[in-house]
Amino acid sequence: MIFSDVPLETLADGSQRRRKIAKDCAQDRQTGQTLARIVTQAAEDKPHHREKTLRSLQTFTKAMMGLPSLAKPEKLATGVTADELAVWESWRERRKTALKKRLDEETAKNPTANEQEVKLIRKNALDTLKSRLVGVTFRSAPMALSSPVSMHVKREMEADLAKSGFTRFTFDWNASMLHNSVWNTVMVDITMRHWLPWAKRGNVEVMETALPGIKSQFFKWISNQGVTRKKAQLT
């Protein structure tokens, strides 16, 4: 029987069956992926997993400060000073002004570009400018003995910090509202960006959806270190 001899009804039925099979397979895959996410999320919601994840982030943070994982709060890097904050904020304003000027110059070179094209032009220009940024002079903490963080990872993060205007790695331990501290917010973002691939290489499973919660816990940890440091200073 040649293809043209097959009745149209039979062809239609076969086509419908194939579509149904394809649809069922797609639904099965989606269900499997959903179940996998639920199982992984449930694992991350367990207290022992949250503690393991936060402990990994704390270990990374202390190693970046040249300290062992069991270092007490009072041994952490001294908090950012008022002078350091003022210098950093001034640097950020100058960089913001310089970047805006360059972006405006790039936009002016394309007067006929539409709104979508202008966005792309400015994005590409910003990416190029960021790749050429030269960081400020950074004061690196010494490597801790048997540090779990390699020199390569440490230098990569320190270079990122320097390009963001930070001269050393520390936090504003005494900030009354940690989330309102721009210094802490930027420092936390950079820390977590470099911690995440390091943690995954160390078999600490972290889902992207869990990152906001981890960040919130990290802020709380920073606040608690500040409180403990204050108490230690009074004794």
Side-chain angles (χ1 to χ4, degrees), residues 26-204:
Q27 288 177 340
D28 287 345
R29 283 196 299 272
Q30 185 175 5
T31 300
Q33 291 170 354
T34 301
L35 287 172
R37 284 196 297 269
I38 292 172
V39 170
T40 306
Q41 186 65 55
E44 291 198 338
D45 287 340
K46 291 181 179 179
H48 75 274
H49 189 278
R50 289 198 302 269
E51 290 170 7
K52 179 182 178 181
T53 303
L54 186 57
R55 188 163 57 249
S56 168
L57 182 51
Q58 293 166 4
T59 295
F60 180 84
T61 300
K62 291 177 181 179
M64 286 299 302
M65 292 181 178
L67 299 169
S69 60
L70 297 179
K72 295 181 179 180
E74 56 268 27
K75 296 295 182 181
L76 298 175
T78 56
V80 60
T81 66
D83 287 343
E84 285 176 320
L85 276 173
V87 169
W88 182 68
E89 288 168 356
S90 175
W91 178 90
R92 277 170 54 84
E93 284 302 316
R94 292 196 307 274
R95 187 186 69 164
K96 181 180 177 181
T97 300
L99 287 177
K100 183 178 184 303
K101 181 181 178 182
R102 292 294 300 276
L103 291 178
D104 289 344
E105 289 172 353
E106 290 298 318
T107 304
K109 293 177 183 178
N110 300 273
T112 60
N114 59 38
E115 184 179 351
Q116 196 64 31
E117 291 170 335
V118 168
K119 287 182 180 179
L120 183 60
I121 290 168
R122 293 177 75 88
K123 179 185 181 301
N124 291 337
L126 184 60
D127 289 342
T128 300
L129 290 170
K130 285 184 176 180
S131 69
R132 296 175 180 173
L133 278 176
V134 177
V136 299
T137 302
F138 190 86
R139 303 198 304 276
S140 176
M143 285 284 290
L145 291 176
S146 302
S147 176
V149 175
S150 69
M151 179 61 76
H152 173 72
V153 171
K154 190 170 184 292
R155 284 178 175 171
E156 271 196 340
M157 178 167 154
E158 289 173 346
D160 201 357
L161 289 169
K163 287 182 179 181
S164 295
F166 294 111
T167 56
R168 65 190 181 101
F169 179 52
T170 190
F171 297 96
D172 186 354
W173 305 111
N174 298 322
S176 56
M177 294 291 288
L178 286 172
H179 289 279
N180 292 335
S181 168
V182 180
W183 175 288
N184 282 343
T185 298
V186 178
M187 191 69 79
V188 164
D189 285 343
I190 294 174
T191 302
M192 291 190 62
R193 185 162 64 243
H194 288 268
W195 159 75
L196 187 57
W198 175 85
K200 289 183 176 180
R201 287 195 296 272
N203 296 320
V204 177

Side-chain angles (χ1 to χ4, degrees), residues 3-16:
F3 189 74
S4 58
D5 292 332
V6 180
L8 291 178
E9 293 82 359
T10 302
L11 287 174
D13 289 344
S15 177
Q16 289 175 354

